[in-house]
Amino acid sequence: AQTVTQSQPEMSVQEAETVTLSCTYDTSESNYYLFWYKQPPSRQMILVIRQEAYKQQNATENRFSVNFQKAAKSFSLKISDSQLGDTAMYFCAFITGANNLFFGTGTRLTVIP
Amino acid sequence: KAGVTQTPRYLIKTRGQQVTLSCSPISGHRSVSWYQQTPGQGLQFLFEYFSETQRNKGNFPGRFSGRQFSNSRSEMNVSTLELGDSALYLCASSLTTGTNQPQHFGDGTRLSIL
């Protein structure tokens, strides 16, 4: 079975601080990609960062970085210098050869001014 | 470059009716995927179309169907609507099919069944 687990339904962080969102997944596939998407109240799903499973180096994208632990099937997202615009639902997802994204249930992040 | 465009943005239907949702992918993108988002079930994959062919299908009943045209635009149809079909339907496009292609989402169509 392909599953994604986000154990933190809600989180909050002070503006300019750092926050880490956790994600674990389960798949028997060896070739897959991992993603973090954000969905602000405007509801459009926006790609934040992606990680190729075969790469050991953690992906970074400006203030966003991941901690990818393949053996543990863990894929956490770190947001540095949090901004008010980071307030959104964050979804962890992975995609296998079948090209369908498996999503977690999401973490609602609120950045507090 | 314009993003993924979904129409209509909102739709209200009654039980038993049918509905067609439209998705125009980013120019040059040939793969279109559809997802259903509900508070209870979260985001679930419906199906993917590439080169006018359904490549993959999620675990939804046959009332949910789709198609893709030669210009890569896609439509999704739901027949005999049920209350449980109320959801946000998201369309995503990517350049081609395959695991290394990031999917870009539209704003979604909010479908409400009365």
Side-chain angles (χ1 to χ4, degrees), chain B residues 7-113:
Chain B
T7 57
R9 192 165 171 83
Y10 299 93
L11 205 49
I12 299 175
K13 293 286 187 179
T14 57
R15 282 184 299 174
Q17 287 187 308
Q18 75 166 19
V19 68
T20 299
L21 312 182
S22 179
C23 173
S24 293
I26 292 172
S27 178
H29 285 197
R30 295 168 59 200
S31 170
V32 174
S33 298
W34 289 89
Y35 296 85
Q36 182 196 64
Q37 185 176 22
T38 60
Q41 299 297 319
L43 280 149
Q44 294 185 288
F45 172 77
L46 281 155
F47 29 64
E48 182 212 4
Y49 285 86
F50 177 74
S51 292
E52 302 177 62
T53 302
Q54 188 180 89
R55 296 288 296 229
N56 193 24
K57 190 177 191 302
N59 189 27
F60 278 82
R63 300 186 296 106
F64 291 82
S65 63
R67 59 177 176 170
Q68 186 181 34
F69 302 94
S70 58
N71 61 357
S72 296
R73 189 177 72 86
S74 176
E75 288 182 347
M76 187 191 88
N77 185 75
V78 188
S79 62
T80 320
L81 286 165
E82 299 176 0
L83 293 177
D85 297 333
S86 293
L88 178 66
Y89 290 88
L90 292 166
C91 164
S93 76
S94 57
L95 273 171
T96 182
T97 189
T99 57
N100 63 340
Q101 298 297 318
Q103 296 187 15
H104 302 269
F105 286 80
D107 289 344
T109 294
R110 173 77 65 187
L111 175 64
S112 298
I113 311 301

Side-chain angles (χ1 to χ4, degrees), chain A residues 25-55:
Chain A
Y25 62 94
D26 190 22
T27 179
S28 56
E29 302 285 337
S30 58
N31 180 29
Y32 55 90
Y33 282 70
L34 296 154
F35 304 88
W36 278 96
Y37 281 89
K38 67 181 277 191
Q39 188 178 39
S42 66
R43 83 193 190 195
Q44 184 180 23
M45 198 75 72
I46 301 165
L47 178 64
V48 174
I49 196 166
R50 69 170 179 162
Q51 171 81 43
E52 294 90 339
Y54 64 85
K55 285 188 177 179

Side-chain angles (χ1 to χ4, degrees), chain A residues 71-100:
Chain A
K73 294 184 179 175
S74 170
F75 182 60
S76 62
L77 173 70
K78 186 172 82 171
I79 306 174
S80 304
D81 186 26
S82 297
Q83 301 176 0
L84 296 178
D86 295 333
T87 293
M89 281 288 288
Y90 285 81
F91 293 95
C92 175
F94 75 89
I95 192 168
T96 67
N99 200 40
N100 53 307

